[in-house]
Amino acid sequence: MKTFLVSILLTSIIPIQEHPSDPPKHPVLPEVQQPPAFTVTHEGKTIHQITGKDVSLPYIDGVWLDMAKYNQFQEEVASQVYREPVNAKIDENGQIKPAKPGRELDREQFNHQFASYFYGGEASKVETPLRVVHPRVDEELLASIRERKIGQYVTYYNESNKERSKNVALAAEAIDNHVVFPNETFSFNGVVGKRTKEKGYLPAPVIVKGELAEDIGGGICQISSTLYNAVDQAGVKIIERYSHSRRVPYVPPGRDATVSWYGPDFTFENDYNQPILIRAKAVNGRVLINIFSSETIKNQKREVPEADAEPPKEVPAD
């Protein structure tokens, strides 16, 4: 009796083969129909194309979106259409060059477009949705904060060292026209960025643990040191500053600010209620950094010792 009941149970679970020699039959999942390729265009030209199968995870109950693959696809589209905004700036003639808006992928709208395609089989060709990226500094703001000079500092360098002079000029250009808003912290490394050959920086002498060495970007500490004295005179709040391990000749003792991409940074906070503008220039052996703001700023100017007006015979340090 027990054997008979077990036989009935197994028969109800496992299909009986018509012929014992036939291989066992397995259920076949229905093939999910994928819509045509999803084509992304920009200004009428195709910039990317992908199929639902490329970003899908097949399951018994349907097809799911593979978010890792979709996010990678979205980033590729975003990088192709992104245009960085350009801030207004003051040129070498003192004229204000207007700002230019940028653009970026409207991710929310793009997600809706792709979801309609992937889950609903709707429009498979879309024009990339964009949103405007406004510049941080426009002409009106720049005009209002160039009125009053609240800090200034000058240092000198020897032009005979061409590599070092080039690095100094590049770092000055990197911070020129930079605006620091109220309660914002300025980072020298953050603004100037990594000093690389691709950016034009050259090998020049630097100080490493009290010893002279040579590295890409040697000399830029003269810019960070000049900036430190200029903003200190303007009365802003110094957050982070480190001195070199040996004296440098371009500023008085204790008035330097060493920086390194993988090490020290120079930072300060604009604790005033108005933005401040940095103007920096390195030319003809002279580094000049001015700090400007609006007429309404109420700053507390500090006394700062001046640098030697005579350029050193050679500036071996960074």
Side-chain angles (χ1 to χ4, degrees), residues 38 40 48 50-57 64-78 105-119 126 129:
F38 184 71
V40 183
H48 213 304
I50 197 169
T51 66
K53 189 176 180 180
D54 294 329
V55 290
S56 64
L57 291 171
W64 290 10
L65 180 63
D66 187 328
M67 290 306 300
K69 292 181 179 179
Y70 172 70
N71 289 337
Q72 181 181 355
F73 158 64
Q74 187 188 80
E75 288 302 322
E76 290 172 359
V77 173
L105 178 67
D106 187 329
R107 294 174 185 266
E108 183 177 357
Q109 189 176 344
F110 187 77
N111 288 339
H112 285 307
Q113 290 175 334
F114 188 81
S116 297
Y117 154 79
F118 188 79
Y119 296 107
V126 298

Side-chain angles (χ1 to χ4, degrees), residues 179-285:
V179 174
V180 187
F181 289 88
N183 301 315
E184 184 179 24
T185 297
F186 172 95
S187 161
F188 187 89
N189 283 337
V191 172
V192 176
K194 189 175 183 179
R195 282 66 84 177
T196 64
K197 290 182 179 179
E198 291 72 22
K199 293 182 178 179
Y201 289 96
L202 302 173
V206 297
I207 295 176
V208 180
K209 296 182 179 180
E211 301 295 330
L212 285 179
E214 193 170 86
D215 197 7
I216 298 294
I220 66 167
C221 288
Q222 181 158 356
I223 299 299
S224 56
S225 297
T226 309
L227 177 63
Y228 159 58
N229 284 278
V231 296
D232 193 30
Q233 186 187 80
V236 302
K237 182 180 179 181
I238 307 300
I239 302 294
E240 183 181 7
R241 179 188 73 90
Y242 303 93
S243 289
H244 290 80
S245 51
R246 59 188 290 181
R247 186 185 170 187
V248 293
Y250 43 78
V251 289
R255 300 302 304 177
D256 59 318
T258 183
V259 292
S260 172
W261 181 249
Y262 294 109
D265 194 5
F266 169 58
T267 66
F268 64 87
E269 179 187 345
N270 177 13
D271 51 355
Y272 294 125
N273 63 352
Q274 296 292 326
I276 60 176
L277 168 67
I278 300 171
R279 296 303 319 276
K281 191 173 185 179
V283 64
N284 298 327

Side-chain angles (χ1 to χ4, degrees), residues 34-155:
Q34 292 288 351
F38 184 71
T39 303
V40 183
T41 64
H42 175 60
E43 296 178 346
K45 297 181 180 179
T46 299
I47 62 171
H48 213 304
Q49 194 173 55
I50 197 169
T51 66
K53 189 176 180 180
D54 294 329
V55 290
S56 64
L57 291 171
Y59 284 93
I60 293 177
D61 59 345
V63 177
W64 290 10
L65 180 63
D66 187 328
M67 290 306 300
K69 292 181 179 179
Y70 172 70
N71 289 337
Q72 181 181 355
F73 158 64
Q74 187 188 80
E75 288 302 322
E76 290 172 359
V77 173
S79 65
Q80 287 181 275
V81 299
Y82 178 74
R83 184 174 65 195
E84 187 175 7
V86 178
N87 290 325
K89 61 182 295 185
I90 302 172
D91 63 19
E92 57 185 14
N93 299 317
Q95 302 298 313
I96 295 179
K97 299 182 67 174
K100 296 180 181 179
R103 68 185 182 211
E104 66 181 7
L105 178 67
D106 187 329
R107 294 174 185 266
E108 183 177 357
Q109 189 176 344
F110 187 77
N111 288 339
H112 285 307
Q113 290 175 334
F114 188 81
S116 297
Y117 154 79
F118 188 79
Y119 296 107
E122 297 182 15
S124 58
K125 185 175 183 179
V126 298
E127 177 72 9
T128 311
L130 302 173
R131 59 190 299 269
V132 176
V133 180
H134 297 285
R136 295 174 73 247
V137 181
D138 59 21
E139 300 93 300
E140 183 179 357
L141 172 64
L142 197 56
S144 69
I145 60 173
R146 64 180 295 185
E147 298 299 320
R148 181 180 171 190
K149 185 188 297 183
I150 61 174
Q152 175 181 294
Y153 205 76
V154 184
T155 60

